[in-house]
Amino acid sequence: MKIDIEERMLHFKQPAGTSRGVYTERRLWLVTMTDGDRRGVGECAPLPKLSCDDLPDYGRLLRKVCRQVEESGRIDTEALRPYPSMLFGLETAWRHLHRGDRLFDTPFARGEAGIRINGLVWMGTYKEMYARIRAKLEAGFHCIKLKIGAIDFDEELSLIRFIRGEFPKEQVELRVDANGAFRPEEAPERLRLLARYGLHSIEQPIRAGQWEAMAALCRQTPLPIALDEELIGVNAPQEKARLLDAIQPQYIILKPSLHGGMAGCREWIAMAAERGIGSWLTSALESNIGLNAIAQFCSDVYGSTEMPQGLGTGQLFTDNIPMPLEIRGERLWICRHS
């Protein structure tokens, strides 16, 4: 078996605003495994200043890991725990090599069913976010995820009030993602104000690493809390258990590129379920290669769930990698011709 690596830069159609700044381009590495006539492609895409394996010598380390896989003929999942984006790319390529385009045997992978997704509204000015919310509602989405924390909180409350004024919670499920923007001392009052609008959940209200403060919020919150950044870099099973037991969130949100690849996400999902903690999957600004793999993995791990997943980011780039993915209404589909 041979593995080739290609570094690529994708460009956003519009700047993608987060609480950590604005993305205009996205660097990734494609790994291509070949074995005779068979070929498998995966995507390794760490997020700058966020992934635990966002390293200055990422390309060199990835080449070293790929040589080890070539020599051994296997992926050492345990050794790759500290490098989730590399593991995810190699897992994807391996499945593609051995199983073809259907990475998992599910109705979604066969093109027979779509996965319900949320409509993601990026941070921006009030006017920009208002227009984006309108567009998602008109496109038929019944679950909207709103990034907050970049503009004035009162203006963000006004946007949420607008949605609820036109669409009650029975019609539109509303999730917000604070990306750790709130200070611990202001978070309880902000959660109280947000809870007035019947939100499904808030993602990462305070910065990661403040376990005691986050645990207190989760105990007292009027609004279900979902952890995301909190899970980054927590790769060993005993550490995962310690985090879940200490904080006891209502949900965890998993991105294979950030949270341990497919193997690590399965571990998180199982450990959370044992503790009565819900979960869902999202992509992390991958190209269509990564999005396709996450969606197929999602269809395998969650089956026919109707809980909206965060898989709608494949339309963000001007120069994305073509894949048979299509959003129809509020569902992501794989287009199969046979």
Side-chain angles (χ1 to χ4, degrees):
M1 180 177 63
K2 183 174 182 294
I3 304 178
D4 293 308
I5 302 171
E6 177 191 357
E7 184 176 344
R8 284 205 188 185
M9 187 74 78
L10 301 184
H11 300 86
F12 285 89
K13 293 177 182 176
Q14 296 178 335
T18 75
S19 60
R20 291 175 185 78
V22 177
Y23 291 123
T24 58
E25 56 188 19
R26 180 78 164 99
R27 187 185 305 275
L28 58 87
W29 287 258
L30 297 179
V31 291
T32 301
M33 296 182 179
T34 52
D35 188 359
D37 294 333
R38 296 182 302 170
R39 177 175 173 273
V41 182
E43 175 180 353
C44 303
L47 274 171
K49 300 179 182 178
L50 186 60
S51 297
C52 64
D53 56 357
D54 172 37
L55 304 166
D57 57 347
Y58 187 93
R60 183 189 64 81
L61 283 171
L62 179 60
R63 285 190 290 274
K64 179 181 177 182
V65 167
C66 287
R67 282 196 299 272
Q68 292 169 345
V69 175
E70 286 177 327
E71 292 167 4
S72 66
R74 59 184 287 270
I75 299 171
D76 189 341
T77 302
E78 284 299 312
L80 287 174
R81 280 186 184 271
Y83 310 104
S85 66
M86 295 185 195
L87 176 57
F88 175 58
L90 289 167
E91 287 174 315
T92 301
W94 185 273
R95 279 195 163 266
H96 191 199
L97 179 73
H98 291 283
R99 299 182 59 92
D101 291 342
R102 296 179 188 176
L103 307 182
F104 296 90
D105 186 20
T106 65
F108 172 78
R110 295 192 296 270
E112 299 167 0
I115 296 175
R116 193 171 172 224
I117 62 175
N118 61 239
L120 178 61
V121 175
W122 287 95
M123 292 176 176
T125 65
Y126 181 93
K127 185 176 180 180
E128 288 169 340
M129 294 178 75
Y130 182 94
R132 291 167 189 168
I133 292 167
R134 272 285 188 193
K136 294 296 181 186
L137 295 173
E138 289 169 4
F141 283 92
H142 292 89
C143 177
I144 290 178
K145 177 179 173 179
L146 183 66
K147 293 266 189 180
I148 63 173
I151 63 175
D152 180 75
F153 182 68
D154 289 336
E155 289 190 345
E156 290 170 338
L157 278 179
S158 178
L159 284 167
I160 294 168
R161 192 179 306 116
F162 150 70
I163 298 173
R164 278 293 173 253
E166 297 201 5
F167 299 93
K169 66 180 182 180
E170 292 77 18
Q171 284 184 269
V172 173
E173 181 177 290
L174 192 57
R175 303 171 177 176
V176 295
D177 180 3
N179 283 123
F182 301 163
R183 296 190 305 275
E185 61 271 20
E186 70 187 2
E189 174 63 11
R190 292 195 169 188
L191 294 185
R192 185 187 69 79
L193 293 171
L194 288 165
R196 293 176 174 177
Y197 301 103
L199 306 189
H200 172 271
S201 56
I202 182 168
E203 187 175 335
Q204 203 68 44
I206 64 173
R207 184 171 42 81
Q210 305 175 90
W211 285 20
E212 189 174 334
M214 186 69 86
L217 274 181
C218 289
R219 283 195 303 271
Q220 302 163 8
T221 183
L223 176 62
I225 290 174
L227 303 185
D228 175 3
E229 289 94 336
E230 200 74 63
L231 313 180
I232 296 171
V234 182
N235 299 314
Q238 59 271 28
E239 283 300 298
K240 293 178 180 180
R242 192 166 75 87
L243 182 149
L244 293 173
D245 290 338
I247 299 178
Q248 298 182 40
Q250 285 73 39
Y251 294 102
I252 59 172
I253 302 173
L254 297 163
K255 300 176 172 72
S257 291
L258 292 175
H259 300 130
M262 298 182 199
C265 284
R266 284 192 191 276
E267 200 169 71
W268 274 116
I269 291 165
M271 295 176 76
E274 289 170 1
R275 293 162 172 78
I277 298 167
S279 64
W280 67 87
L281 280 165
T282 80
S283 50
L285 304 180
E286 293 89 357
S287 78
N288 279 334
I289 298 288
L291 177 61
N292 172 64
I294 297 167
Q296 292 203 43
F297 172 62
C298 177
S299 71
D300 182 67
V301 76
Y302 290 127
S304 58
T305 181
E306 281 293 294
M307 173 177 274
Q309 309 292 313
L311 304 175
T313 59
Q315 298 175 317
L316 293 175
F317 304 106
T318 60
D319 44 5
N320 210 335
I321 298 162
M323 290 289 289
L325 295 170
E326 181 179 286
I327 295 177
R328 303 178 206 158
E330 62 174 355
R331 292 182 186 271
L332 180 69
W333 291 79
I334 290 182
C335 302
R336 300 288 190 201
H337 298 295
S338 61

